[in-house]
Every structure is written in structure tokens, then in C-alpha cells.
């Protein structure tokens, strides 16, 4: 019996699915805290999971969207929302939030690499490509927070999040310039962002606050 | 003397105008509650009336927008906003809100049918077409609530609204699959959404809440 | 020694840079008040400076965006955000807000003229072109306020802002109809908006409030 063939793109797909689920779950948790109804939950989960990539594609004028090409994901998303409604209890909320931190960090890395690479392939200048990576990775969460009537956590919680994505984006631009093969480019960029994010979570590192907040 | 000829498209136009007015009025009411100035009122009324269709067209990469092709509507909208400012009093607010529930339900149905049909004609898969119908019908209200700094009522008030549109969209997809003539397709889809919404309003039916809200 | 050649487009560039800086600073101030972190500050500054033009370009389906063609501006924006973080103190906030009122008014005028002219050149009807001017000039601030979880000041503070832009837009449409040369068209439209805004600031003129707010 042969072992199943596991190549880079299989791994990437698995990571991508895990990450998208983590993003959708972060939307469900935010919606649950705001007491949204089931329709609101589905939409906030969808915005969190696909909002960043959709905004990137609108800005780059790219079609079709990911969720149009792979429309099955929309069904998966609805199923996930219903399952969460049926099985998640209040005591699960904090636990789930903690559990998704790591797949969420994976998503941050992978979506950064993916978004920046797409923009570079379209001939965008490096800083714009990096920015598209950041938008892909973080604007799902930003839209989630806007719809939930909060200031986006990515702008406000003084934890490095978009910054990890920004650094990962520059690693990608550098690796492309060095003409590294695509799997190395994606791995290096994603790993940088994931490790930085992991480090930030682990050490509790905070972004420098504006001194305006100080009492002097 | 001949009676005026009333055909399907005349009826549809009348319903569409009524529904758009209802959407605009819902924006004016929300703006009035937030004490917006006259400029804010015009813009919120416009977002409510045209925001859903514009977002659909941006996502589908369709131009020109409805309000670009029929720029007269923009004048009508401004006139409506001024008239509302001059003639609406506080005691009229609740009354107007009640009065627009029915034209608003008509708009929900018609915009659903319209949006889903446009997406199908562009060759989108069924679930995406249904989603485009829902976006056309509900995202004007969502943008209205975001701009007014509220959690969108469609996600939060536990009243079936987007859900009626969702079911209506599937009726449209089914009718198109059965190769029904266009007037029947639109009528069936719109009627389904309108009747469901009417039923929901009449019976006070609420969406299942997440059990997380319960005290256990 | 020859004096430097100063022509219309040099003046326009200087005014444009000044105005964009003022828009970015208004974002930084709003972000500082909400205690955003450094990433949030950069993004809110960017939204304030480029959000209106980007939304106009998405609606008109125009590419590349201003900040893609002139990607250096993104670096300038980040430098500005860092400089503000390092040097601005609480006691500077009110001062800065007062100081940017005038460059902000310049931006209102110039972006109105610019946005409306672009739309006219694309063959849009006059009312749509005027609206695109208003969107270019004001929606950066609207996005800034949405992200900061406030009702947009342009809709709410009863000071003429979008209205000045609206009038300036019609002056532009009129001047184009009269086949005035381009520098005159832009100057007349921008000057109208700037002067109206200046007059409004100077006299404290307020927009008519909806009588619904009165106690009768």
C-alpha cells in the first residue's frame, strides 16, 4: 500500500482551509458577543473569512472572487454558523478564542503571502503589493469589527497583527527579487508573519503607544 | 376614450419606484433619529435606496450604476429629503415607520428578484446569484446602519428579513431552471419574499436566537 | 540668475500636497483621540488622505489609483504618522486641529474640482460628476469616522462642508459648459468651495436643522 502523496500544494490547501475556518470562527465569536441573530452570524462569519480577499480583488479589479469560484465554501460557512449556534455555549467562548489564535496566525501568514504575490504578479509596485497582502490578511477582521460597531481590533489593541503581515510582505518581495522558487517565496513570507505573530502572542509584546496617552 | 394600457413592466416600474421611496424614507427616519443635518440626511437616504444595488454592481463589476443611468432619481431623492425635513414632525416618525413596512417588504421582494436575475444572467452560480439578490435587497439598510453608528438591524433584530430574501432568491433560481417566462420568474420570487416578510411581520415570528444568550 | 519657473501645475501640485497632508493629519488627530496604536494611525491617516479618491475610482472603475501610481506617497504617509507620534503632545491637538482647517478647506476645493472633472471627462452626467467631486472631497473623512466608530462629522456637525463642495462642483460643470480653459475651470470651482467653506468657518454658519429636533 502506497502512502498518500503529500506535496506542497496539498499542505497549502489544508493550511488555507484551517485558516479560513479560524477567520470565520473569529467572526462568529464577535457576532455571538453582540447577540446577532443567525442571519447576522452567517454574514459576519463570511465577512471575516472572505472580506479581506474580496476587498483586495475589488481594489485590483480582479474577478472572479474566491467565493464565486469556490461557491461550495459559502455552504460550508453556513453549516459552520449553524453548528456553532447549536454546539457553542458561553463557557466555550473564551476557550474557542484561545484555540483559534494559532490557526488565525497561520491565516495571517498565508493570506499575506497570497495577497502580496497576486499583486506582484499583476505588476504592482512593491509597497502596493505589501499593502495588498496586509489588506488580504487583516481587512476581514476590520470589516467584522465595523459591522459589530467596534473600533477595529487591528488598529486599537496595541498587539502586533498588521505589522507582522507587513514584515512578512517585505520578505516575500525580497524573495521574489532573489528569484526564489514559488514554494520558497510563500513559505518564507508566511513563516515570517506567523512566527512574528506567535512571538508577539507569547511575549505579550505591545506596539509603542502614542505618548499623547501619557499623563504629561 | 381608451383605458390606459397597464402591462407588467408598468406595474413593475410603479412597484420599484414605491419600494425605492420606502428604502429612502427608512434612511431619512434613521438619520432623523441621529440628528443628522440636511446633507447627512440626503446621503443616508441615498445610501439606503441605492447602496445595495451599487455594492452588487461593484462586486459583479457592472457599469453604469442605476443612479448613473437614471440620474433624475438623485434629484428626486434630494427633493424627498427636503420635503421630509419640512413636513415630518416627531409625532409622524413612528407613523411613517409603520407605514413604510409594506412598501419596504415590496422592495425586499423586488430587489431580491432583480439582483439575483442580473447575477444569473452574468453566469454566476446559483448560490452566488441568491447572495447577490440578498445583497441588493438588504445592504442599503446595512450601510445606512453602519453610517448611523448602529449594528445593522438586519443582523441584529431577530426578525426575518434577509432570510425572506434568501428564500425568494432560491425560488427565482428554481423558476429559471424550469424555464418559466421572465415575468413569472420575477413575480414568483418577489411574491415569495414579500409574503414571507409579511407573514413574519404579522405573526411576530423571530429567528432562533443563539442559546449562548440563555442563562444556562 | 533666473527665477524658478512657477506655472499653474506647480502651484496645483503644491496645493495638492498641502491638502493631502491636511487630510492625513485630520486622520491622525481622530486616531489619537481614539487611542489607536501606530498601525491604526497609519491606516486612518491613509484612509483620510486617499479614501475619497479611491472610492471615486472604484465607482468609476478607474485604475490605477493615485496611491498606486505615486507609491512614494505611502512612504510619506508612514513617515508623517511616525513624526506625529514622536512630536505631537496633547496640548498640540487643539492647535493642530485649528491649524489644519485652512489647508483642509483647500483640499475640499481642489479635490472637488479634480474629482468632478475626472467624472465629466469620462462622460458622466453633470449631477453624477458633481457627486463624484463631493465623494472625492468628503468620503476620506467619512471612512475615517466610520473606522473610528463615530457618526461621520460631515453628516452630523451641521457645518457646511459637503455643501461647499457641492456648490463648487456645479461651478465646475458650468465653467466646462462655457468652454473655459482648464486652469480657469479648476480655479473657479476650487475657489468657490474654499471661499464658501472659509465663510462658513468664519461666520459660524450652520446648516438648517430638522425641526424634529425642536421641542414642539
Amino acid at each position: 500500500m502506497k502512502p498518500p502523496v503529500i506535496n506542497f500544494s496539498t499542505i497549502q490547501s489544508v493550511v488555507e482551509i484551517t485558516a479560513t475556518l479560524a477567520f470565520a470562527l473569529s467572526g462568529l465569536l464577535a457576532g455571538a458577543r453582540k447577540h446577532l441573530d443567525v442571519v447576522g452570524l452567517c454574514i459576519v462569519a463570511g465577512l471575516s473569512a472572505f472580506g479581506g480577499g474580496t476587498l483586495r480583488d475589488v481594489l485590483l479589479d480582479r474577478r472572479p472572487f474566491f467565493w464565486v469560484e469556490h461557491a461550495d465554501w459559502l455552504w460550508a460557512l453556513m453549516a459552520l454558523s449553524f453548528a456553532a449556534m447549536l454546539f457553542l455555549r458561553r463557557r466555550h467562548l473564551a476557550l474557542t478564542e484561545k484555540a483559534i489564535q494559532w490557526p488565525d496566525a497561520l491565516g495571517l501568514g498565508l493570506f499575506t503571502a497570497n495577497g502580496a504575490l497576486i499583486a506582484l504578479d499583476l505588476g504592482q509596485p512593491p509597497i502596493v503589493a505589501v499593502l495588498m497582502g496586509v489588506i488580504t490578511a487583516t481587512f476581514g477582521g476590520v470589516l467584522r469589527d465595523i459591522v459589530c460597531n467596534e473600533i477595529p481590533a487591528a488598529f486599537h489593541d496595541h498587539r502586533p497583527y498588521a505589522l507582522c503581515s507587513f514584515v512578512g510582505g517585505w520578505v516575500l518581495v525580497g524573495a521574489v527579487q532573489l528569484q526564489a522558487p514559488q514554494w520558497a517565496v510563500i513559505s518564507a513570507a508566511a513563516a515570517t508573519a506567523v512566527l512574528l505573530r506567535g512571538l508577539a502572542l507569547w511575549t505579550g509584546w505591545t506596539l509603542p503607544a502614542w505618548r499623547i496617552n501619557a499623563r504629561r
Side-chain angles (χ1 to χ4, degrees), chain A:
Chain A
M1 210 174 101
K2 283 200 304 180
V5 181
I6 295 178
N7 57 24
F8 182 70
S9 93
T10 312
I11 297 176
Q12 202 190 341
S13 293
V14 171
V15 174
E16 203 161 332
I17 291 170
T18 318
T20 306
L21 286 181
F23 278 25
L25 268 173
S26 84
L28 286 173
L29 294 182
R33 256 187 236 102
K34 292 286 180 175
H35 304 296
L36 300 191
D37 56 39
V38 60
V39 169
L41 286 172
C42 284
I43 297 181
V44 173
L47 271 182
S48 306
F50 304 129
T54 304
L55 180 57
R56 176 203 62 213
D57 287 352
V58 167
L59 292 176
L60 293 176
D61 209 7
R62 266 178 97 233
R63 299 288 186 291
F65 297 128
F66 175 82
W67 48 270
V68 168
E69 251 182 323
H70 306 274
D72 302 339
W73 281 74
L74 297 172
W75 291 110
L77 197 86
M78 279 186 248
L80 180 72
S81 302
F82 277 100
M85 264 190 75
L86 289 177
F87 298 120
L88 270 186
R89 293 291 170 278
R90 185 177 296 278
R91 62 174 193 279
H92 296 148
L93 278 192
L95 206 70
T96 311
E97 183 147 81
K98 219 172 163 61
I100 63 169
Q101 278 189 342
W102 297 102
D104 182 89
L106 281 179
L108 184 74
L110 208 79
F111 285 16
T112 299
N114 188 14
L117 200 57
I118 287 172
L120 273 189
D121 280 350
L122 291 174
Q124 303 286 332
I127 174 80
V128 173
V130 171
L131 217 65
M132 288 297 159
V134 174
I135 287 173
T136 311
T138 65
F139 264 71
V142 169
L143 292 174
R144 173 199 69 206
D145 294 341
I146 289 176
V147 157
C148 286
N149 206 10
E150 299 278 350
I151 296 181
F155 302 172
H156 192 243
D157 71 354
H158 296 258
R159 299 284 197 69
Y161 189 79
L163 192 61
C164 308
S165 162
F166 190 73
V167 176
W170 283 109
V171 169
L172 184 128
V173 167
V176 165
Q177 220 108 50
L178 296 172
Q179 303 189 302
Q182 180 160 328
W183 67 267
V185 165
I186 293 178
S187 305
T192 305
V194 173
L195 287 179
L196 276 178
R197 174 67 179 164
L199 215 65
L201 286 174
W202 193 50
T203 62
W205 178 42
T206 58
L207 289 173
W210 199 342
R211 284 199 246 166
I212 230 158
N213 305 330
R215 235 162 311 152
R216 70 206 212 77

